[in-house]
Amino acid sequence: MTEVLSHVDYMALEEAHSSGVYAKRALTVVRGEGAYLWDADGRRYIDCVGGQGAANVGHAHPKVVAAIQAQARVLISCPELFYNDQRALLLQKLTQLAGMPRAFLCNSGAEAVEAALKFAKFATGRTHIVAAMRGFHGRTMGALSATWEPKYREPFAPLVPNYTHVPFNDLAAAAAAISEQTAAVIVEVVQGEGGVRPASGDYLRGLQALCHERGALFIIDEVQTGFGRTGRMFAHQHYDLSPDLMPVAKSIAGGLPFGACLIGERVGQLQPAIHGTTFGGNPLGCAAARAAIDVLIEENLPARAAALGDFLMARLGDLPQRFRAHVREVRGLGLLFGIELRGKVAPVLKALQSKGILALPAGLTVLRLLPPLVISQADLEQVAQAIEAVLDELSADEA
Ligand SMILES: *Cc1c(COP(=O)(O)O)cnc(C)c1O
């Protein structure tokens, strides 16, 4: 048995010994179930952080828990120098789901993006990558080079050369940047970390056409938008796109660390030894991912995200009219929902937390909601009311 410490003791231990790269809230989360989290003092919260996108099927989903427990007794690690039953079955399920023939399995979103970038360079023999302003693709050096945010990039210069960032949703700018040296264009269907900014269908279709015309590969980063989040299993399915490479992670395995890079026909044959990772395709993660994908399908969670996203938009879409002084815009796709404020989001997050609701920022001014897709409409109504109450308080403070 581990000894049970108080909430304050756990915070002090982390403050003393953790790396220091995370700014944390004064809250120790110890348990989750569905769309609820509990802190060390037993207080319950409605969770609109959703494991930062990793909890689409809900916390501790019984089918995912059972799959992990059963597989943990049988085999946890098995590198890809052997075949494995769980991996074979996951690869079949995942490629079928994505409508792409192959996948490289890994352990996180950054790794999935890293794989996509390497495969694009290898397959095309080209050296340049085109990415979008405000895009987020992860923190390892290759993925970071595709990420736009200067405060993530600048301390680590020089990054990987030959990355160009073009304005998002601007096809003419992309057309000017994509050349015969471009290995790949990488883009999100909805920029998540960059402020919950949806791409237009015309923009994405235009990018895909430019890639085909100029011999570049089209990478759609679905790490945050995948597995039902936006109202489709994958967000690019809203626009009938076919990416050549598709990094996924976050909710792929019900919350366990896992990722994959789906690989399309235009990529062609990859060769042994050009890439790899020890934990990639480990049986425990594969079993969890098989279960999580089954849950998404059986519980019809993409359609649920679409319906609940419509509910939220109907409920909160007019915030810019009702709270003109505080809300600039409301936008999103499915249950990837953003409220752009005129001021800083941090105090709003804090006020929501005191009302029992946990939410995320996306940049300094956007309030982002990423609830598990199993959340009830009644709980989302509570979230909407709490947001209205906090905006009312802001208005009262100014009066
Ligand atoms: C979170 C995220 C990543 C990075 O995933 P990690 O698992 O944190 O490395 C990459 N791309 C997008 C779009 C993301 O939202």
Side-chain angles (χ1 to χ4, degrees):
M1 260 318 269
T2 41
E3 80 191 290
V4 178
L5 302 177
S6 88
H7 154 72
V8 176
D9 293 331
Y10 292 123
M11 278 175 54
L13 282 172
E14 288 204 32
E15 283 306 314
H17 304 296
S18 150
S19 64
V21 305
Y22 298 102
K24 293 181 193 179
R25 307 181 195 178
L27 182 70
T28 304
V29 175
V30 296
R31 187 163 77 84
E33 190 184 313
Y36 299 118
L37 290 171
W38 283 265
D39 71 12
D41 302 325
R43 183 167 182 214
R44 192 185 84 170
Y45 296 83
I46 298 175
D47 177 26
C48 290
V49 167
Q52 225 153 278
N56 286 9
V57 301
H59 296 286
H61 192 290
K63 287 204 170 157
V64 174
V65 172
I68 292 171
Q69 286 177 330
Q71 187 59 36
R73 284 187 209 104
V74 175
L75 185 66
I76 295 176
S77 68
C78 171
E80 289 217 31
L81 77 164
F82 302 112
Y83 296 91
N84 171 260
D85 55 340
Q86 294 300 319
R87 188 190 307 128
L89 294 171
L90 172 65
L91 283 168
Q92 178 187 43
K93 192 182 289 285
L94 183 62
T95 52
Q96 229 162 42
L97 191 72
M100 296 172 75
R102 292 175 179 277
F104 170 79
L105 301 177
C106 55
N107 316 287
S108 72
E111 276 183 61
V113 167
E114 211 64 51
L117 296 167
K118 285 182 72 176
F119 295 163
K121 284 189 173 181
F122 183 86
T124 60
R126 299 176 175 189
T127 51
H128 285 54
I129 303 291
V130 173
M133 289 176 180
R134 292 207 172 91
F136 182 87
H137 302 290
R139 315 276 200 149
T140 55
M141 294 304 265
L144 181 61
S145 303
T147 291
W148 179 74
E149 175 59 51
K151 90 177 167 243
Y152 300 159
R153 298 164 56 86
E154 276 165 6
F156 306 104
L159 297 178
V160 180
N162 301 333
Y163 282 64
T164 308
H165 288 89
V166 294
F168 187 58
N169 268 335
D170 180 341
L171 196 57
I178 301 169
S179 73
E180 64 293 335
Q181 296 188 73
T182 305
V185 174
I186 181 166
V187 73
E188 296 155 88
V189 176
V190 181
Q191 292 187 324
E193 305 299 313
V196 190
R197 295 169 200 278
S200 79
D202 284 344
Y203 174 65
L204 294 169
R205 279 186 289 264
L207 279 184
Q208 178 170 295
L210 280 170
C211 287
H212 287 194
E213 233 171 78
R214 300 187 187 174
L217 295 175
F218 188 36
I219 305 175
I220 300 187
D221 181 345
E222 293 250 18
V223 171
Q224 185 156 161
T225 52
F227 301 102
R229 171 57 55 190
T230 70
R232 293 294 184 92
M233 190 57 79
F234 298 104
H236 74 264
Q237 293 166 342
H238 285 284
Y239 307 111
D240 227 355
L241 300 161
S242 31
D244 300 309
L245 291 156
M246 180 172 74
V248 293
K250 293 205 164 104
S251 274
I252 186 174
L256 226 62
F258 207 80
C261 180
L262 277 295
I263 303 166
E265 303 283 5
R266 288 183 76 230
V267 177
Q269 229 13 74
L270 298 169
Q271 278 167 28
I274 64 153
H275 197 49
T277 173
T278 301
F279 290 126
N282 71 86
L284 188 68
C286 289
R290 288 180 61 206
I293 292 170
D294 285 346
V295 168
L296 285 161
I297 295 168
E298 283 162 16
E299 299 185 12
N300 219 1
L301 293 182
R304 185 180 174 83
L308 291 175
D310 287 347
F311 166 76
L312 262 189
M313 196 53 87
R315 191 63 187 69
L316 297 177
D318 64 350
L319 287 182
Q321 285 79 51
R322 287 194 281 144
F323 295 93
R324 210 176 294 274
H326 298 291
V327 180
R328 194 183 295 276
E329 196 179 30
V330 174
R331 53 186 181 246
L333 194 60
L335 280 181
L336 176 45
F337 199 84
I339 300 170
E340 183 170 349
L341 305 172
R342 294 190 186 277
K344 294 239 158 80
V345 66
V348 172
L349 292 171
K350 206 167 165 191
L352 285 173
Q353 184 171 319
S354 73
K355 295 180 190 305
I357 286 150
L358 303 177
L360 277 170
L364 292 177
T365 59
V366 177
L367 173 64
R368 178 173 39 148
L369 305 178
L370 276 184
L373 312 183
V374 296
I375 194 170
S376 70
Q377 185 170 312
D379 282 340
L380 275 183
E381 173 58 29
Q382 276 204 44
V383 172
Q385 286 177 19
I387 290 170
E388 289 168 333
V390 171
L391 292 171
D392 272 331
E393 285 160 21
L394 280 181
S395 305
D397 285 349
E398 275 160 15

